[in-house]
Amino acid sequence: MSNKQSKANLESLKKQAANEVGVNLGNGYNGDITARQAGSVGGMMVKKMVESYEKGAK
């Protein structure tokens, strides 16, 4: 997988995670969100990555 494709996949995962936790992310700079919101998005991303890994490992 190319670096551009990896970045696009990660961006897609971030948007999906943000949507699920109710955080409104825009394109580009998102410095106006709180640390709690950013942590929620990051936590959801990790949860989804772990789930994806576990599905692939079985």
Side-chain angles (χ1 to χ4, degrees):
M1 184 179 304
S2 72
N3 193 25
K4 283 186 178 184
Q5 184 62 37
S6 295
K7 286 183 180 183
N9 288 345
L10 194 57
E11 188 66 26
S12 175
L13 178 64
K14 179 170 65 173
K15 295 279 186 182
Q16 182 182 6
N19 189 36
E20 287 186 24
V21 295
V23 175
N24 188 17
L25 289 182
N27 292 330
Y29 180 73
N30 286 297
D32 56 340
I33 65 173
T34 66
R36 176 170 281 195
Q37 290 171 319
S40 295
V41 172
M44 182 60 73
M45 288 175 68
V46 170
K47 181 178 178 182
K48 289 187 167 294
M49 285 186 261
V50 168
E51 288 173 354
S52 175
Y53 175 79
E54 288 176 344
K55 281 183 183 177
K58 292 183 179 180

